[in-house]
Amino acid sequence: MGKVSIIMPVYNTAEFIDKSVQSLIRQTYTDLEIILINDGSNESCTRKLTEIAAMDNRIKLYHLQGNKGTGAARNVGMDRATGDFIYFFDSDDYLPEKTIEILMRHIKHHDLIRGKMKTTYFGSGMAIILDGLFKVKMHTEEKYHLFKNESVLNCLFRTEFVQRHQLRFMEDARIYSDLSFIVMALMNTQQVPYVKEAVYFKRKRNDAISNPSLDQSAAAEKVENYIHVYTHLKKQVADDVYATDEADQEWVMSEKAQANHFLDRHFLNFYRKTIVTYFKDEANVEPLFERLSDAFQLLDRDILQDYSWILKNEAKPLLMRNKSKYVSVNRRHKEMRQFKQALKTKKKFYIYLYQRFFVKRKTNEKLVFFESFLGKNYSDSPKYIYEYMLKKHPDYTFVWSFNEKKQILGNAKQVIRFSLRYFYYLAKAKYWVSNSRLPRYLNKPDGNIFLQTWHGTPLKHLVFDMDDVHSADPKYKAHFYEQSRRWDYLSSPNRYSSDIFRRAFKYDGDMLEFGYPRNDILYQKNTTEDIQQLKEKMGLPHDKKVILYAPTWRDDEFYSRGKYKFTLQMDLHRMQEELGRDYIIVLRMHYFIASVLDISEFEGFAYDFSSYDDIAELYLVSDMLITDYSSVFFDYANLKRPIMFFMYDLEKYRDQLRGFYIDVENEVPGPIVRTTEEIVASVKNLPEIAQAYQEKYDTFYERFCKWDDGNAAAKTVEAVFK
Ligand code: C2G
């Protein structure tokens, strides 16, 4: 049937490339050559490529001098190709094993054939083997429809066809060079068959910040690139004269008309989707206006009839080259679009008011806005900062955001999260104090100071240290980056955390290295009297010892976005039987957990404190802690009381879900247990265990708890509220 040359430009995709190349090697169609073009990748990726090239003798590796761009790399690949067919592949994608076979089987006499593209965030266990029904749908009139995504991927080209028409990629357009190849190919062929069973998986990257894909390039670059490609291609299509006799002339005209139509529609769609969004910031119009009007001059004016009056209105000043008119039309339309959005829900309307009006007013220099765990609790460092300010800085006014009204100390105003007052006070407050991110749409008021206290010493990899995100929101990294740019101060509990925060959050602002305000209480109220009082408030018996069980959440167990499941793996019957005489157990689920515990049959032994505000008070009343991968143990260690690690899923959690910063098996200050039996045995052996772990505990305390001394809130407040 013939050899297929797979051409694959590579630029810094070391983390994905193994899987990609493996998927090519495993193709059931074996007459292949795999041409890797190293487009100026970094050292680690280049090393990886050399290793990969040795894996299979069908792989050929070429290096370019510096980064020349996908178009140039593919052109070099074509120059080196010796196959009868050409197939482009990207170095972070994945091909099911039959794809090439299916395409080869159906290309028959055609110049090219197209398969199906699927774009996904690759999950952990992706293995797709499609047998294929081998049904072919022929496209004639609508060949351009197959290329609405302007991509050459998953398309098999006959080499002879490519050479006869000298098909090349534009080299001076980093992002949209595919369009140049596609349009010229389509103009020169009549029918393009499409096989939907030949699937290609395109990876949607989740780290648009450190390692963006081409598609995630900066908007400015995308827009400039696109205009350049469109302008170039319109001219190329017009100039391409290659027919002589009259019948041919007619055919050429019709091909040209189709190509023009495709380009114009593509251009207007790009204008609507990308350029309009980019022009939301008016400052972006000026540097591009001239080039954009040049491009509009090339449009077939009739096509505008198919578009809305909004687009027609914007096209007019562009065609007339009237910049000031364009800016004002654009502004009016933007306002209209925003208003239309705002009318969709109550919350959207409030956000509109926030962005449009509230945030533009002067802030109140003496107003502080607090939130902890997304409004769920009155707790954590924001609580202790607030309580310190109540005492020492009564000249400030305070606002707390909660999901529901609460009994709290002092005279703070309370606002319900996402209510109109919430938005109003956020915009009015000069200071924001929160232990997690605030929503992305809350742009900072002028002069606003955001004190991010964060919520724990990290054990599990954070944001940019995470390889892949398996949780419910795949845009997590990009969003996190945007939100954390708004922080002015970040609290750090220990040196270890400072180092991680700088790297994993890409944070280079002020770091407050005073320990955690939330742990002050562990030094100030660790007395028998205070503990008795707390137990009374909580309704806990005084004659029993207290085990606190506070596990974290699992990235892969959720009902929906942000609503996580938790299944208790501890046998409470057995625990009660063995330990019930001397102990009670306080269960405390993570604030992401939406499952409700049913522990009614364990009355008098098990207590659910999942919705209790402040976990620090639970630390104080407990005699020992059982946890897993939660940061709670870093704080609890301040009390120097026994800790046990119920890590029944250690391997999965560490190796598949997150990855850890410390060597858990060797460094945690207590035993790792995996069954209820082991928990019971350890609780019964506490003195021996304490002795066995004394040294580790001391080292651990030295490393993670040394900064905490009961004065973190005071130091934090004095540093921020100067
Ligand atoms: N927490 C709690 N109850 C639990 C677990 C956690 O009240 N059962 C609180 C603790 O204050 C803890 C904080 O939530 O320190 C963070 O919880 P983690 O389990 O560590 O998980 P996560 O929210 O993913 O934060 O740098 C820290 C990491 O970001 C972890």
Side-chain angles (χ1 to χ4, degrees):
M1 281 169 99
K3 181 158 82 177
V4 178
S5 301
I6 300 186
I7 297 171
M8 178 167 165
V10 183
Y11 179 61
N12 295 347
T13 43
E15 57 189 300
F16 310 121
I17 195 158
D18 266 329
K19 198 169 178 170
S20 303
V21 174
Q22 281 301 343
S23 79
L24 299 180
I25 291 177
R26 281 201 294 265
Q27 287 299 304
T28 51
Y29 191 86
T30 53
D31 191 5
L32 305 174
E33 64 174 352
I34 302 170
I35 302 176
L36 306 179
I37 309 289
N38 180 11
D39 187 15
S41 296
N42 56 27
E43 234 181 273
S44 74
C45 185
T46 303
R47 213 174 319 119
K48 182 114 224 171
L49 279 174
T50 315
E51 278 167 36
I52 284 176
M55 272 177 1
D56 190 302
N57 59 13
R58 293 173 299 173
I59 301 180
K60 295 172 184 149
L61 172 62
Y62 300 96
H63 299 275
L64 301 186
Q65 295 297 318
N67 179 235
K68 302 271 192 272
T70 317
R74 285 177 177 158
N75 286 342
V76 171
M78 286 195 286
D79 294 340
R80 302 280 187 273
T82 61
D84 309 290
F85 297 90
I86 286 173
Y87 184 83
F88 300 104
F89 186 72
D90 278 356
S91 61
D92 51 354
D93 295 343
Y94 181 91
L95 211 57
E97 63 181 9
K98 293 220 164 150
T99 300
I100 302 279
E101 185 191 331
I102 300 174
L103 291 172
M104 280 299 286
R105 199 181 280 217
H106 291 102
I107 191 164
K108 306 223 164 84
H109 62 279
H110 295 283
D111 300 318
L112 63 149
I113 181 167
R114 177 85 153 146
K116 187 176 181 65
M117 299 291 292
K118 283 193 180 213
T119 306
T120 83
Y121 293 97
F122 286 17
S124 41
M126 212 187 74
I128 309 103
I129 301 161
L130 287 175
D131 244 327
L133 303 167
F134 294 78
K135 239 191 280 150
V136 181
K137 193 168 167 199
M138 297 293 273
H139 284 256
T140 48
E141 301 291 307
E142 296 175 311
K143 63 189 176 190
Y144 283 95
H145 277 197
L146 293 175
F147 292 89
K148 272 195 286 201
N149 71 352
E150 86 265 340
S151 169
V152 293
L153 297 174
N154 209 16
C155 197
L156 187 71
F157 297 90
R158 205 172 276 284
T159 309
E160 177 276 322
F161 167 73
V162 169
Q163 286 170 349
R164 180 157 35 99
H165 298 287
Q166 296 168 17
L167 302 182
R168 305 289 284 179
F169 290 88
M170 280 171 75
E171 299 200 0
D172 55 354
R174 213 173 64 91
I175 308 172
Y176 296 101
S177 64
D178 281 34
L179 209 51
S180 57
F181 195 92
I182 286 300
V183 171
M184 299 325 281
L186 293 186
M187 266 182 75
N188 288 293
T189 195
Q190 285 189 330
Q191 289 184 329
V192 180
Y194 167 63
V195 209
K196 75 173 177 355
E197 288 75 18
V199 177
Y200 180 114
F201 284 92
K202 185 160 179 52
R203 180 188 296 270
K204 237 184 189 176
R205 304 254 195 101
N206 66 29
D207 189 351
I209 308 298
S210 338
N211 190 7
S213 59
L214 270 189
D215 192 44
Q216 290 164 334
S217 306
E221 193 188 355
K222 275 180 138 175
V223 172
E224 280 182 31
N225 237 278
Y226 190 90
I227 294 178
H228 173 63
V229 172
Y230 172 75
T231 311
H232 175 92
L233 282 178
K234 284 290 284 190
K235 289 184 180 145
Q236 194 175 350
V237 169
D239 294 348
D240 209 27
V241 195
Y242 47 85
T244 43
D245 64 49
E246 235 165 67
D248 270 358
Q249 227 14 287
E250 213 170 280
W251 177 70
V252 168
M253 292 321 286
S254 128
E255 283 300 332
K256 283 190 176 194
Q258 278 188 59
N260 268 320
H261 191 73
F262 170 73
L263 280 171
D264 289 352
R265 290 198 77 87
H266 203 272
F267 172 65
L268 288 177
N269 288 339
F270 183 85
Y271 173 81
R272 280 197 311 190
K273 236 177 85 185
T274 312
I275 301 188
V276 167
T277 314
Y278 182 61
F279 283 175
K280 271 188 188 168
D281 181 352
E282 244 172 72
N284 292 334
V285 177
E286 164 72 38
L288 270 179
F289 184 78
E290 212 167 301
R291 265 171 291 166
L292 185 61
S293 337
D294 286 346
F296 264 78
Q297 312 303 322
L298 302 173
L299 267 182
D300 172 2
R301 312 267 159 116
D302 290 343
I303 204 169
L304 287 168
Q305 298 316 318
D306 302 343
Y307 287 83
S308 68
W309 61 269
I310 297 190
L311 194 126
K312 282 181 213 143
N313 270 356
E314 288 175 20
K316 259 184 237 157
L318 278 162
L319 289 166
M320 316 270 289
R321 300 183 181 280
N322 185 340
K323 190 164 64 199
S324 59
K325 177 88 181 147
Y326 178 75
V327 168
S328 73
V329 170
N330 202 38
R331 187 179 307 153
R332 222 175 34 244
H333 288 173
K334 183 175 90 182
E335 280 164 14
M336 226 175 54
R337 273 190 288 264
Q338 282 172 344
F339 190 65
K340 224 170 106 189
Q341 271 300 101
L343 294 180
K344 285 193 174 153
T345 63
K346 195 154 77 174
K347 185 168 157 199
K348 286 196 167 134
F349 186 62
Y350 295 160
I351 296 172
Y352 173 79
L353 293 178
Y354 175 89
Q355 294 175 337
R356 192 72 216 276
F357 304 106
F358 298 167
V359 85
K360 296 188 175 149
R361 298 172 50 207
K362 217 173 131 25
T363 56
N364 178 339
E365 294 285 310
K366 294 272 174 182
L367 185 66
V368 195
F369 187 99
F370 293 93
E371 194 178 82
S372 172
F373 293 120
L374 314 169
K376 195 169 175 198
N377 299 138
Y378 173 56
S379 67
D380 210 283
S381 296
K383 167 181 167 186
Y384 293 94
I385 289 169
Y386 164 67
E387 292 191 355
Y388 177 84
M389 291 191 81
L390 266 184
K391 271 192 281 177
K392 303 283 178 175
H393 295 274
D395 51 326
Y396 280 81
T397 314
F398 309 107
V399 179
W400 266 93
S401 146
F402 294 123
N403 293 334
E404 53 194 41
K405 204 162 162 38
K406 284 190 183 283
Q407 284 288 347
I408 67 169
L409 207 68
N411 57 352
K413 281 190 182 48
Q414 292 190 34
V415 296
I416 299 299
R417 194 160 183 252
F418 301 142
S419 66
L420 183 61
R421 291 172 75 234
Y422 164 91
F423 289 102
Y424 174 81
Y425 281 110
L426 265 168
K428 203 167 159 90
K430 162 145 180 173
Y431 297 96
W432 291 348
V433 181
S434 171
N435 71 346
S436 56
R437 292 173 288 155
L438 288 179
R440 246 167 8 112
Y441 48 73
L442 292 176
N443 46 320
K444 254 162 104 75
D446 252 1
N448 164 277
I449 291 182
F450 189 166
L451 162 56
Q452 172 58 252
T453 65
W454 201 239
H455 50 268
T457 293
L459 166 68
K460 7 178 189 162
H461 283 171
L462 289 174
V463 203
F464 288 103
D465 286 339
M466 287 158 87
D467 285 341
D468 221 328
V469 180
H470 299 295
S471 61
D473 184 358
K475 288 209 171 137
Y476 175 67
K477 288 187 190 182
H479 289 175
F480 199 108
Y481 184 78
E482 191 183 340
Q483 289 158 310
S484 53
R485 297 315 89 189
R486 299 174 184 157
W487 305 347
D488 298 287
Y489 295 97
L490 176 60
S491 295
S492 168
N494 37 52
R495 164 87 44 239
Y496 155 94
S497 297
S498 299
D499 295 342
I500 293 174
F501 290 163
R502 288 240 180 264
R503 188 186 60 243
F505 296 160
K506 297 186 187 291
Y507 177 78
D508 56 9
D510 269 328
M511 191 80 79
L512 302 176
E513 301 188 307
F514 307 133
Y516 265 159
R518 71 180 184 183
N519 291 339
D520 287 350
I521 186 175
L522 307 181
Y523 289 86
Q524 292 172 0
K525 295 222 166 151
N526 187 6
T527 66
T528 321
E529 208 189 343
D530 284 320
I531 292 171
Q532 290 305 336
Q533 260 182 26
L534 279 173
K535 278 191 173 173
E536 222 134 90
K537 179 173 103 177
M538 294 175 189
L540 294 178
H542 290 275
D543 57 341
K544 297 270 175 83
K545 291 193 169 160
V546 178
I547 301 171
L548 170 64
Y549 177 44
T552 195
W553 55 291
R554 305 299 186 267
D555 303 62
D556 63 339
E557 292 179 33
F558 50 83
Y559 301 104
S560 63
R561 208 172 174 168
K563 285 199 174 358
Y564 289 83
K565 288 184 203 170
F566 189 82
T567 324
L568 206 56
Q569 301 288 338
M570 185 182 276
D571 179 352
L572 285 180
H573 283 288
R574 186 108 184 101
M575 296 271 291
Q576 183 168 23
E577 233 169 79
E578 295 279 351
L579 305 168
R581 208 165 53 94
D582 303 318
Y583 288 93
I584 58 161
I585 184 162
V586 166
L587 304 172
R588 162 69 171 200
M589 295 302 110
H590 188 272
Y591 54 96
F592 280 174
I593 302 298
S595 334
V596 179
L597 293 171
D598 179 9
I599 51 163
S600 47
E601 57 179 312
F602 304 103
E603 212 183 318
F605 174 65
Y607 296 76
D608 181 7
F609 273 74
S610 300
S611 50
Y612 191 77
D613 270 313
D614 189 355
I615 193 171
E617 294 179 355
L618 300 179
Y619 297 157
L620 277 170
V621 299
S622 67
D623 295 278
M624 65 167 298
L625 168 74
I626 303 178
T627 184
D628 47 17
Y629 325 101
S630 176
S631 60
V632 297
F633 65 87
F634 292 104
D635 303 87
Y636 196 80
N638 279 292
L639 294 170
K640 300 194 171 169
R641 297 180 197 168
I643 307 177
M644 214 178 277
F645 296 84
F646 185 32
M647 296 182 163
Y648 49 86
D649 54 354
L650 172 60
E651 286 70 24
K652 180 181 176 198
Y653 199 99
R654 180 189 55 203
D655 306 332
Q656 287 176 32
L657 293 182
R658 279 295 186 106
F660 296 144
Y661 288 116
I662 64 173
D663 175 1
V664 162
E665 275 149 307
N666 287 308
E667 294 184 87
V668 293
I672 294 179
V673 290
R674 290 171 186 263
T675 60
T676 305
E677 262 57 48
E678 287 180 88
I679 297 177
V680 169
S682 301
V683 174
K684 288 184 172 172
N685 265 329
L686 276 186
E688 286 82 351
I689 285 180
Q691 210 180 2
Y693 281 90
Q694 191 58 53
E695 214 180 301
K696 271 191 189 168
Y697 212 132
D698 292 342
T699 315
F700 187 88
Y701 184 94
E702 195 53 29
R703 187 168 174 210
F704 299 108
C705 308
K706 218 174 52 187
W707 290 355
D708 280 325
D709 63 357
N711 297 307
K715 293 182 205 165
T716 303
V717 170
E718 299 317 331
V720 176
F721 301 85
K722 289 175 242 176

